[in-house]
Amino acid sequence: MENIKNPIQRTVMTGVMAALLAVMSQISIPLPFGVPVTLQTFAVAMCGYLLGPALGTLAVAVYLALAAVGVPVLAGFSGGVGAFMGMTGGFLWGFLPMAFLCGLGVRAGKKAPALMLGTAGLLICHLAGSFQFGLVSGTGFFTAFWTASVPFLIKDLVSVGLAYLAAAGIASSLKKAGMGGLV
C-alpha cells in the first residue's frame, strides 16, 4: 500500500487497519494465568503485510495510542496507560517491531522472506512479552516464557501465515480496483 500516492487513501487505509486491530482484539478468550487468546497477532501481521513497514507500524501505533489514552480497544475492552505496565504490556510494545518486520518482509516480494521476517517479528513480540510478564509477575524470564508465550506460539505462527495469505488476497482485490497492491 505504500505505493498509494493519495494521502487520503493512505490515511484511510491506516485508520481502517487500526480499527480492524481494535475489533480483532475483542475476539478474546481469557485464560487463568493472565494472557488471553486473541486475534491481535493476526491483525498486527495484517497491518504490516498489507500496509508495509511504515504505514503498518503507524496503524499499530495509532491503536496503541488509543489504548494508552484510555479508549477500550485492548482485549476485554480494556485500555489505559496501566495496560502497558502490566503483565501483558510487553506484548503490546512488541506489536510495533512485529508490524514493521511483516511490512519489510512483504516488501521483499516473495513469500518465504515475508514469512521469515513475520516470524522474526512474532518472536521479538513474544520475547518482549515474556520479559515484562516475568518482571511484573516476579516469576523470571524462563518461567514467564513457558507460561505466557509457549502456549500461544503455534496459534501465533499460524496467525502470521494466515495474515500473509489474507493480505495477499486483499491487496490483489485492491489492485484490481485501482487502489494499489502489496508493497
Side-chain angles (χ1 to χ4, degrees), residues 21-183:
L21 179 51
V23 169
M24 292 194 142
S25 297
Q26 302 318 314
I27 301 169
S28 174
I29 302 168
L31 295 176
F33 49 85
V35 180
V37 174
T38 70
L39 293 180
Q40 284 174 311
T41 51
F42 174 83
V44 168
M46 279 276 293
C47 288
Y49 284 141
L50 191 60
L51 299 177
L55 292 179
T57 304
L58 179 60
V60 173
V62 166
Y63 165 77
L64 294 175
L66 289 169
V69 298
V71 179
V73 294
L74 300 175
F77 293 101
S78 64
V81 74
F84 293 87
M85 305 304 167
M87 286 196 299
T88 60
F91 292 99
L92 298 174
W93 297 114
F95 288 160
L96 293 166
M98 182 179 166
F100 184 78
L101 288 173
C102 287
L104 281 183
V106 79
R107 186 183 273 174
K110 296 190 177 178
K111 186 177 184 178
L115 291 174
M116 286 191 306
L117 282 168
T119 299
L122 176 67
L123 294 177
I124 290 169
C125 181
H126 274 257
L127 289 174
S130 296
F131 180 75
Q132 185 162 331
F133 189 95
L135 282 176
V136 173
S137 68
T139 60
F141 175 78
F142 291 106
T143 301
F145 181 74
W146 282 101
T147 303
S149 181
V150 169
F152 303 96
L153 277 174
I154 292 175
K155 186 252 338 156
D156 287 348
L157 286 168
V158 170
S159 292
V160 168
L162 291 176
Y164 175 81
L165 294 174
I170 291 167
S172 175
S173 295
L174 289 173
K175 189 174 183 179
K176 288 178 187 173
M179 293 182 65
L182 282 175
V183 179

